[in-house]
Amino acid sequence: NTQTQNYTSANNLRETRSQANQRKNNNVDSNRAIHEPWQWYDKCYNRERNAGLFAADQLPRKNKFQYSAAIHTRQNPNGNRRGYECPEERDHYPYWHPSPWRDIAILTDNTTMCSYYRRESANTVAKYECVEFYNQAKTQKKHWWRWNNQ
């Protein structure tokens, strides 16, 4: 069965680790195909979009927490979902944020960009992200965080 996996966003930005695990368990169907992990899309839904990316005349919508997330891009202003793919990562290469993907080839008809792609690939340059925790003791790291490398 290749239908899109289910996704339910958090009820609030202060959910517990067990609440996040419960959402995941209720969403992921082992009888359906999966490429990106559930956590990848959840991270994308909860992280604010990179407001420095070109949006043209599009006004990306806001998520249920009232900010425009990485699921909203110029090419995907409504935040439509395709599996657990992160639209911002899909639409902007090389991606500025850590990614679960590794480059094996870059296809382009503009060969003047090749050195840039090599230099900025996540294969060759480290990408970083902010970290939040579920608890005050900072022993339970979240798989997502709202902020963009601030």
Side-chain angles (χ1 to χ4, degrees), residues 105-149:
I106 299 169
L107 307 176
T108 181
D109 59 357
N110 183 355
T111 58
T112 64
M113 295 295 292
C114 289
S115 62
Y116 169 74
Y117 292 145
R118 270 190 222 100
R119 185 177 66 248
E120 295 299 322
S121 166
N123 294 1
T124 57
V125 66
K127 308 290 181 171
Y128 299 95
E129 59 191 342
C130 295
V131 176
E132 291 183 26
F133 295 87
Y134 285 110
N135 60 355
Q136 290 274 345
K138 296 186 176 184
T139 58
Q140 297 178 353
K141 188 174 97 170
K142 287 184 178 183
H143 65 272
W144 65 267
W145 27 91
R146 176 179 175 177
W147 310 108
N148 276 319
N149 302 338

Side-chain angles (χ1 to χ4, degrees), residues 70-128:
I71 63 167
H72 303 100
T73 67
R74 176 175 56 92
Q75 294 93 328
N76 191 41
N78 295 327
N80 296 333
R81 191 167 61 82
R82 310 280 187 295
Y84 293 138
E85 172 182 68
C86 180
E88 188 178 75
E89 183 231 3
R90 177 200 61 215
D91 295 346
H92 299 281
Y93 181 87
Y95 195 38
W96 59 273
H97 196 268
S99 169
W101 295 102
R102 293 295 167 247
D103 300 328
I104 59 169
I106 299 169
L107 307 176
T108 181
D109 59 357
N110 183 355
T111 58
T112 64
M113 295 295 292
C114 289
S115 62
Y116 169 74
Y117 292 145
R118 270 190 222 100
R119 185 177 66 248
E120 295 299 322
S121 166
N123 294 1
T124 57
V125 66
K127 308 290 181 171
Y128 299 95

Side-chain angles (χ1 to χ4, degrees), residues 25-86:
N25 293 338
N26 289 339
N27 289 170
V28 179
D29 183 344
S30 63
N31 293 319
R32 292 184 177 170
I34 190 167
H35 293 272
E36 292 90 353
W38 176 90
Q39 292 90 334
W40 180 240
Y41 186 80
D42 197 46
K43 180 187 288 196
C44 189
Y45 183 91
N46 290 307
R47 184 178 61 246
E48 286 194 26
R49 68 181 286 274
N50 182 340
L53 298 173
F54 181 65
D57 61 348
Q58 298 295 320
L59 294 174
R61 290 189 180 178
K62 296 179 179 180
N63 65 11
K64 74 187 260 182
F65 303 117
Q66 296 306 303
Y67 58 85
S68 190
I71 63 167
H72 303 100
T73 67
R74 176 175 56 92
Q75 294 93 328
N76 191 41
N78 295 327
N80 296 333
R81 191 167 61 82
R82 310 280 187 295
Y84 293 138
E85 172 182 68
C86 180

Side-chain angles (χ1 to χ4, degrees), residues 3-42:
Q3 293 178 330
T4 296
Q5 292 279 349
N6 294 322
Y7 177 74
T8 306
S9 61
N11 288 325
N12 63 68
L13 294 174
R14 298 194 189 282
E15 76 175 352
T16 65
R17 184 182 216 165
S18 77
Q19 289 169 325
N21 287 336
Q22 186 64 44
R23 281 191 305 117
K24 177 186 172 189
N25 293 338
N26 289 339
N27 289 170
V28 179
D29 183 344
S30 63
N31 293 319
R32 292 184 177 170
I34 190 167
H35 293 272
E36 292 90 353
W38 176 90
Q39 292 90 334
W40 180 240
Y41 186 80
D42 197 46

